[in-house]
Amino acid sequence: MFALHYHDETKHHFARFARSLSYLDWATQPDPFRRYIGAPLVEPPRTPVAEAVPYTALFDGTAPAVPVTRESIGEFLRCSMGLSAWKQYGASRWALRVNPSSGNLHPTETYVLAEARVWHYAAREHALEERCVMDESAWEAWVRPPAGDAAFLVALTSIHWREAWKYGERAFRYCQHDAGHAIGALRLAAAMLGWQMALLPRWSDARVGTLLGLDRDADFPDAEREEPECVAVVAAGDLSWWMDQAPGPLVEASGRGSWRGTANRLSPSRIDWPIIDDVAAATRYPGVQRVGAISHGIGATSHQVGTMSHGVGAGSHQNELLARTIILQRRSALAFDGESGLGRDAFLTMLRRLQPAGPPWDATEWPPQVHLALFIHRVEDLAPGVYAYLRDPAVLPEWKAAMRPEFLWQPVDDLFLLAPFDCRRLANRVSCDQDIAADGFFSLGMIARLESSLHERGEWFYRRLYWECGLIGQVLYLEAETTGGRATGIGCFYDDPMHEVLGLRGHGWQSLYHFSMGVPLDDPRLTTERGYAWETR
Ligand SMILES: Cc1cc2nc3c(=O)[nH]c(=O)nc-3n(C[C@H](O)[C@H](O)[C@H](O)COP(=O)(O)O)c2cc1C
């Protein structure tokens, strides 16, 4: 299986990192903003639509549904893929976004299909580039159910070069993490607006590419190409009708449409990493012919958030927090203070949000394949040590058999204590010697069922395992903000040393993403401006 070969080839080892240029070639640094030159730019109204929605509504599906309009689609994009801030240090100025990205390189591009148009989202301008106008009646026939409200589609692509510029061969993994974070950001923004959202299982990557015009060679004369990732439907009610719709008529309608715009070139030159092209080809999704009984109605579970008695999170009742505020304030910590602790209730609440019920988990159709191995440093009433958290309790015998025989598997609340000890040095070491893995409340590895899931479903599932990791990360990023803490995704870790810690052998279970959380230390040298100058708050 090529995906397994790619996975092995792109591991970081103590003695050797995955292949990359090993230095940053600033002359070829990619432009973080794709534009389609010549495509008309449409600015959606800039009024916030969902300022009063409580944070907990992101997960329990209780936000009232707003009508699908340009204004609400604008809000959806602003609160998922828009800019969150501009940072400056000396002469360097760079944008941060609502969705995180490895190295802040942002390989993920967003498209919206609505009003019989294919729009590319220009994040810097918070505007829609009109790439294609298609036949109105063909669009309406595809998107409007016999007696119901219209939906719209949102699609994601990756520009591998943006990540490969810095990270070389390992970059494909990061593109997939980022796509997972983006799916999570989109799904939670949809929940804020009272909408449902789910990936469309019948759409092959090839079909998504044609729909978005990614295979229009003339529109990419010397520009870096985009790899299709996924397309999702967004609507207020049950999504089953769109889940079952055959892609063909819509692909044909966009093919017959009138296209405008030429993709900008992101770098004056670039280096090819053939293994990335090969793994992308090996993991393309073929689409399914028919959809089984997939139900995407409302009815998500609601989690009660307990109040804290002491520790971080004390008095920070999630029920009083606003979804939009938390979404827009999400950032990665650059360093943690090395002393603050996390309240036990807040910790258990965030773990419960990783159970696959309701948003964002209803965006995807597969049961959990990714579980957590945690290095707990400072969580109230929990002994420091290595713990396991299972997102599906049925995995317990499998994990026990796969891991070190000396592990305790002692139940502690929703977790299992595997080995009690001060694991800060170990956590730091396996996460590429990064202090953020040791100085926070905890860090963790997301351990995925790799080989058997690819055998059962196909190599295309390799991408989805990373998407699942990205979804977990996105939820934890937001949860961290609700405790007064902050999180950071960790793509740089030593793969097999982490497996050695847990006693994992072979390709059965592999760590795909690490993560950390704590109380951040700010860098006073950086200045911060709003993501959009026109926003007053
Ligand atoms: C997949 C992924 C991997 C990351 N890996 C690391 C890492 O190894 N070390 C680190 O300090 N930050 C890491 N980050 C954090 C990014 O650097 C951060 O998201 C980016 O700079 C944008 O900043 P923001 O999250 O504040 O918007 C990672 C983020 C993602 C999404």
Side-chain angles (χ1 to χ4, degrees), residues 190-209:
M192 183 182 78
L193 294 159
W195 297 337
Q196 307 292 310
M197 177 185 133
L199 302 187
L200 290 174
R202 296 191 66 176
W203 286 73
S204 67
D205 287 354
R207 285 261 163 102
V208 175

Side-chain angles (χ1 to χ4, degrees), residues 100-102 104 177-178 330-332 434 488-492 513:
S101 167
S102 184
N104 200 30
H177 289 123
D178 285 8
R330 184 214 62 80
R331 299 276 187 288
S332 292
Q434 299 189 74
T488 304
I490 301 182
C492 186
Y513 190 21

Side-chain angles (χ1 to χ4, degrees), residues 84-85 87 94-106 163 166-167 173-179 181 329-335 431-432 434 436 470 474 477 481 486-493 512-516:
S84 54
K87 293 274 175 186
W94 63 96
L96 297 178
R97 306 199 195 185
V98 174
N99 59 313
S101 167
S102 184
N104 200 30
L105 295 163
H106 289 285
E163 287 285 325
K166 181 170 180 186
Y167 295 113
R173 297 184 181 207
Y174 299 148
C175 290
Q176 300 309 317
H177 289 123
D178 285 8
H181 276 288
Q329 80 177 44
R330 184 214 62 80
R331 299 276 187 288
S332 292
L334 303 173
S431 283
C432 290
Q434 299 189 74
I436 46 171
Q474 193 63 22
Y477 260 119
E481 299 289 337
R486 186 144 280 177
T488 304
I490 301 182
C492 186
F493 56 89
L512 297 189
Y513 190 21
H514 287 200
F515 205 81
S516 59

Side-chain angles (χ1 to χ4, degrees), residues 312-314 316 342 346 350 441 478-486 517:
V312 169
S316 69
L342 176 65
M350 64 180 70
F441 313 138
L478 297 186
E479 285 290 305
E481 299 289 337
T482 72
T483 70
R486 186 144 280 177
M517 194 183 293

Side-chain angles (χ1 to χ4, degrees), residues 307-326:
T307 52
M308 294 299 313
S309 52
H310 53 85
V312 169
S316 69
H317 312 297
Q318 286 192 338
N319 289 333
E320 287 166 20
L321 298 173
L322 296 175
R324 196 176 195 275
T325 310
I326 296 294

Side-chain angles (χ1 to χ4, degrees), residues 2-14 16-20 164 167-174 176-177 273-280 432 450 462 466 491-497 499 507 510-512:
F2 195 83
L4 295 182
H5 168 69
Y6 169 80
H7 192 70
D8 286 343
E9 286 294 302
T10 54
K11 284 180 172 175
H12 284 333
H13 303 275
F14 283 148
R16 177 175 65 79
F17 280 100
R19 266 179 295 276
S20 72
Y167 295 113
E169 294 189 344
R170 200 168 159 101
F172 181 78
R173 297 184 181 207
Y174 299 148
Q176 300 309 317
H177 289 123
W273 297 96
I275 199 170
I276 292 185
D277 299 336
D278 294 344
V279 72
C432 290
L450 182 63
Y462 186 61
Y466 286 95
C492 186
F493 56 89
Y494 297 116
D495 297 71
D496 287 338
H499 303 143
H507 289 119
Q510 298 272 289
S511 193
L512 297 189

